[in-house]
Amino acid sequence: MKPFTLPDFYLPHPPRLNPHLEFARSHSLDWAKRLGILDEPDPAGGLVWDVQRLERMDFALLCAYTHPDCDAEALALVTEWYVWVFFFDDDFLAKFKNGRQRAAATQYLERLELFMAEPGAPVPEPRNPAEAGLADCWSRTIPSMSAGWRRRMVLSTHNLMVESMWELDNIARDRVANPLEYIEMRRRVGGAPWSANLVEYAAGAEIPDRFAAERPLRVLCDTFSDAVHLRNDLFSYEREVRIEGENANAVLVFETFLGLPTQTAANLVNDLLTTRLKQFEDTAEVEVPQLFLARAAAPAEQAAVGRYILGLQDWQSGGHEWHMRSSRYMNSGLDTGPTGLGTATARLVPGLRIQLNQHTPPRRSPGDLTVAGLSTPDLATPNPHLAAARADLPQWVAATGLLEPAAPGWTPHSVAEADFALLAALVHPEVDEPGLILRSRWCAWGFHLGDLLSHAYRALPVAGREQLRRLPQFLADPPAQAPGTPVERALAQLWRDTSATDPAGRQQVRAAVLESIEAWQLWLDNEVRRRIPDPVDHLENRRAAFGGRLVTALGRPAGHPRAADALADTSVLRQLENSALDHAGLVNDLYSYRREIHDGGEHQNLVYITQSFLNCSREAARDIVVDLAEERLCQFEQTARDRLPVFFTDHRVADPAREAVLAQVRRWQQYMAGNLAWHAGTGRYTASAPQRPRPPIAGPTGPFVSALGGRRTSTGRPA
């Protein structure tokens, strides 16, 4: 019996078939024979693939559906890329995943990357079909593509190969990822960003290099990737989970995390797939035109991006059609009643079928939303210079003009109740007195700007966009122009003081502030449109909007070794940072729910988004967000404990860089602990109470006493 019935899919674009299908079939079969792909033995004594298996999977049909407009030669080359990547996946599974041979897998992957060399550079002689296939496809593709495309293609190919180790580690530990980790890592290991790069080649739609890193293009690739992977997980569940014993599948992830029956989990995966497709459409229709205007895109650049968007849409519809036809997947039993968007999704109320409608705002219930069940990551110890920072901050806020009428609700009393100096002292417990004072001011500035956007600029969006547009001018020494508002004056002073105390680290600070400005712009646009965002997009934007990247940059000590900087974007460290930043953002969404949703009428809080996505009560949504925060903390602890030492060994990290990385891990731990402790004690998220006592602090060097739940058990769950 099938594990579940496939749901009804959102398919806004009909599939189209390339007329050169038979040419690609014949050419790719001959290519696979010539490269030895059909002769490669597997450890069980058979072959990884034979002719019959390759013909049944019909990758030429996949490519003819996903690239309907390219010529015969381009279609054949793209098909051979897909033959290679699927062969690599099955070959790697047979030789390394099933046997859990980590050391041999690492050496195999390191050598495989040598076959993506720059034009004219030497490459080794291939030893196996995987190496030969990659070398051949790469050499035939790169003559027509730019250096920028080659860089992106190398990165995405590296990710889909190397991140196979993440799957291998989870299989070895019999560990199923949490939903946030899964979405993040599936992009890297699943290969859809790699497919997006091939769309550029096949559609003749290479993205202008100056646009490739802009948010709209990133979101187009991310939403495309998530939709491709979620669709594949629905079709491949039977093969991957039931037959091959893999555990990287979204249906299994939701089964495990939410305690769902398989059918309900599959329906929920399909609902998430639909929201990602709608986010893709919103980005293409709203954000891309805004980017063209902001960056004065030339007609040729606009046309290239337009062809790229069409190519990604063709891939979605064509990929679905191929999944329906390929023998590789479960592809029967479609029409069984209401199992698509709008069906039962979660274990929220036993026996109740929950109707999903993410576009209907949930009811805004009055009263506080009690937060319980969060484990303290560690005891948070405030900086011994807290008193000095507390004494400085009210004077600085007043001197820079950040109090009313500059921002509604910003009074000496409200600033004292919020106690931003305490947040800085808990998050940065080891900096000296001037450093803590500076970081306290950064905290106050960030929260001030957030309140300004919420309480003033939502009603004046043109002024708000102009204010955000002007802010980068004050991240220069001297500023490009004189500050014209209190928030500009404060930022200019903060940048000047930061540059003076840490010249080497100021570029990291500048990049973090620019990322936050971009996130605030999206927040403002969503609020002006009264748009409840896609849950994945909200979480990823939240990392910058809540200031997590800035906290990381401000915590970077002077003299941080360049070797450690070079490791910052490796998978393990990126997982650690994202886990810490997500934990902090989720904690804020939990504690700020009343202020943002009920009192402020906002739309962007994960508790509220979960209410909308699952049409559930705020208490049920709160419990899910608490579970997500707990899982992110578990992931951080497990990655730091188990994966980081292996990462040091695999990458032969020298002692100075190793010590710097471990110090950064401790700073992320301090951030999670301090942020949670501050939210539990601050008066910012409770009803105003002039006589409210200060949060308990046990002396300048003692622990911050949190009123939250108990420590974690050995299984990582709350005791």
Side-chain angles (χ1 to χ4, degrees):
M1 294 180 61
K2 300 294 184 184
F4 58 85
T5 300
L6 286 170
D8 294 330
F9 291 88
Y10 175 61
L11 298 169
H13 304 285
R16 298 185 295 129
L17 188 65
N18 192 301
H20 305 295
L21 169 60
E22 290 306 325
F23 177 86
R25 273 184 177 141
S26 174
H27 198 283
S28 61
L29 178 59
D30 291 343
W31 181 84
K33 292 177 179 177
R34 177 166 54 85
L35 272 292
I37 286 173
L38 303 181
D39 300 317
E40 184 69 5
D42 69 16
L47 296 175
V48 177
W49 282 2
D50 56 23
V51 172
Q52 290 74 27
R53 184 174 182 187
L54 178 59
E55 289 178 337
R56 285 197 307 271
M57 290 185 289
D58 206 352
F59 297 117
L61 183 65
L62 166 66
C63 296
Y65 270 124
T66 55
H67 304 283
D69 295 323
C70 63
D71 63 27
E73 292 293 338
L75 181 62
L77 176 53
V78 169
T79 301
E80 282 137 29
W81 268 114
Y82 278 88
V83 170
W84 172 79
V85 78
F86 278 94
F87 171 78
F88 161 78
D89 186 57
D90 288 353
D91 188 47
F92 190 83
L93 171 71
K95 293 179 178 175
F96 303 108
K97 284 186 183 178
N98 289 342
R100 305 184 181 187
Q101 301 176 51
R102 180 186 176 85
T106 300
Q107 295 176 3
Y108 172 83
L109 295 174
E110 286 178 350
R111 177 176 163 82
L112 196 54
E113 288 198 52
L114 300 177
F115 295 91
M116 294 180 291
E118 281 293 287
V123 296
E125 188 68 25
R127 296 177 181 172
N128 55 60
E131 294 177 354
L134 178 57
D136 183 78
C137 289
W138 180 256
S139 66
R140 292 159 56 204
T141 307
I142 60 173
S144 58
M145 306 306 288
S146 70
W149 182 89
R150 295 196 300 271
R151 184 175 62 252
R152 294 193 298 275
M153 186 63 170
V154 166
L155 177 61
S156 58
T157 309
H158 164 89
N159 286 341
L160 73 86
M161 293 191 304
V162 172
E163 299 306 342
S164 298
M165 299 303 296
W166 170 74
E167 291 183 322
L168 192 61
D169 287 343
N170 281 343
I171 291 171
R173 294 183 173 90
D174 196 23
R175 175 181 178 269
V176 178
N178 65 73
L180 302 187
E181 173 193 7
Y182 181 77
I183 293 293
E184 173 189 354
M185 294 303 297
R186 186 74 161 94
R187 281 183 200 157
R188 299 173 73 102
V189 72
W194 177 90
S195 295
N197 293 147
L198 286 177
V199 166
E200 293 183 66
Y201 166 77
E206 187 171 332
I207 298 170
D209 209 35
R210 71 188 184 110
F211 292 158
E214 296 281 356
R215 173 191 148 81
L217 274 298
R218 298 197 315 267
V219 173
L220 286 175
C221 184
D222 289 346
T223 50
F224 165 79
S225 300
D226 294 347
V228 167
H229 295 146
L230 292 169
R231 187 187 312 278
N232 179 262
D233 284 354
L234 286 164
F235 280 94
S236 66
Y237 177 92
E238 181 178 38
R239 173 177 175 268
E240 292 179 351
V241 177
R242 292 285 180 90
I243 298 174
E244 296 177 350
E246 297 197 40
N247 55 14
N249 184 289
V251 179
L252 180 64
V253 166
F254 283 115
E255 277 186 281
T256 305
F257 179 73
L258 291 172
L260 299 173
T262 306
Q263 182 68 62
T264 309
N267 294 339
L268 180 56
V269 169
N270 186 49
D271 291 339
L272 184 58
L273 161 61
T274 302
T275 70
R276 297 309 278 154
L277 289 173
K278 290 185 176 293
Q279 176 70 45
F280 177 96
E281 293 168 353
D282 189 80
T283 303
E285 294 167 2
V286 178
E287 294 189 52
V288 169
Q290 290 175 346
L291 174 66
F292 288 162
L293 288 173
R295 298 295 299 276
E301 293 176 319
Q302 296 185 40
V305 174
R307 290 195 301 273
Y308 175 67
I309 292 171
L310 178 60
L312 297 180
Q313 291 174 331
D314 283 333
W315 210 111
Q316 291 286 356
S317 55
H320 180 88
E321 190 70 14
W322 175 74
H323 276 85
M324 290 297 298
R325 296 169 181 267
S326 175
S327 68
R328 188 176 176 89
Y329 301 115
M330 182 182 87
N331 49 18
S332 62
L334 267 179
D335 188 11
T336 61
T339 57
L341 186 65
T343 60
T345 56
R347 47 107 173 105
L348 306 172
V349 181
L352 178 65
R353 294 182 66 81
I354 306 298
Q355 296 300 309
L356 181 152
N357 187 341
Q358 73 172 112
H359 302 293
T360 301
R363 186 171 69 90
R364 299 176 187 269
S365 304
D368 291 330
L369 183 65
T370 304
V371 179
L374 288 171
S375 303
T376 50
D378 204 347
L379 291 176
T381 303
N383 190 295
H385 305 294
L386 172 59
R390 273 182 171 151
D392 166 83
L393 197 58
Q395 302 173 23
W396 182 80
V397 168
T400 51
L402 298 183
L403 298 177
E404 285 187 315
W410 270 62
T411 65
H413 175 72
S414 69
V415 172
E417 277 286 287
D419 204 353
F420 300 119
L422 175 61
L423 175 59
L426 290 166
V427 171
H428 303 285
E430 298 172 354
V431 299
D432 60 15
E433 182 177 315
L436 181 63
I437 288 173
L438 177 61
R439 286 158 178 79
S440 299
R441 293 175 176 182
W442 271 112
C443 282
W445 177 82
F447 278 98
H448 168 88
L449 183 54
D451 287 352
L452 196 63
L453 291 169
S454 179
H455 300 300
Y457 287 137
R458 274 197 298 168
L460 300 167
V462 174
R465 293 187 185 100
E466 176 62 16
Q467 177 63 93
L468 292 172
R469 186 193 66 79
R470 285 171 52 87
L471 289 180
Q473 300 176 70
F474 304 99
L475 298 173
D477 199 9
Q481 59 180 278
T485 64
V487 74
E488 294 172 359
R489 185 161 54 251
L491 179 58
Q493 181 181 336
L494 287 168
W495 177 253
R496 183 172 62 250
D497 294 345
T498 301
S499 298
T501 57
D502 185 16
R506 65 179 180 172
Q507 290 310 310
Q508 283 79 8
V509 173
R510 184 177 190 276
V513 175
L514 291 176
E515 189 176 355
S516 293
I517 292 170
E518 179 184 70
W520 292 328
Q521 179 66 71
L522 178 66
W523 182 93
L524 180 60
D525 289 346
N526 282 335
E527 287 299 326
V528 169
R529 298 166 62 197
R530 298 183 179 182
R531 175 178 181 269
I532 300 175
D534 168 87
V536 177
D537 197 51
H538 169 77
L539 283 162
E540 294 179 340
N541 198 59
R542 198 78 173 89
R543 294 168 189 161
F546 187 56
R549 305 287 191 209
L550 182 58
V551 168
T552 297
L554 289 171
R556 180 183 183 276
H560 192 70
R562 289 187 176 181
D565 284 338
L567 300 173
D569 199 40
T570 54
S571 177
V572 169
L573 293 185
R574 184 60 67 200
Q575 286 182 66
L576 285 167
E577 181 179 28
N578 288 346
S579 296
L581 270 51
D582 284 348
H583 182 273
L586 292 168
V587 166
N588 180 259
D589 277 0
L590 287 161
Y591 279 93
S592 67
Y593 178 89
R594 172 182 169 176
R595 178 187 178 94
E596 293 177 352
I597 302 305
H598 181 262
D599 297 345
E602 297 177 18
H603 300 81
Q604 298 172 82
N605 178 296
L606 191 63
V607 178
Y608 189 67
I609 293 168
T610 302
Q611 285 180 260
S612 175
F613 184 67
L614 298 177
N615 193 21
C616 64
S617 70
R618 65 174 189 166
E619 288 75 21
R622 172 204 59 199
D623 292 345
I624 291 172
V625 175
V626 167
D627 285 348
L628 284 171
E630 290 287 280
E631 287 293 339
R632 269 319 218 185
L633 177 57
C634 283
Q635 182 190 348
F636 183 95
E637 293 170 343
Q638 182 267 330
T639 302
R641 181 184 65 247
D642 299 334
R643 298 193 63 204
L644 195 56
V646 177
F647 168 80
F648 288 148
T649 301
D650 287 349
H651 291 265
R652 297 178 287 277
V653 178
D655 286 344
R658 184 178 300 211
E659 291 168 5
V661 168
L662 292 173
Q664 179 59 68
V665 171
R666 288 193 294 273
R667 288 192 292 273
W668 284 325
Q669 290 172 322
Q670 291 163 353
Y671 177 42
M672 288 189 290
N675 177 72
L676 178 56
W678 178 75
H679 277 85
T682 181
R684 177 175 170 84
Y685 300 116
T686 58
S688 179
Q691 282 75 46
R692 186 178 183 280
R694 285 191 181 277
I697 303 288
T701 58
F704 178 86
V705 181
S706 173
L708 297 177
R711 294 292 297 159
R712 305 176 79 76
T713 67
S714 59
T715 61
R717 303 303 302 167

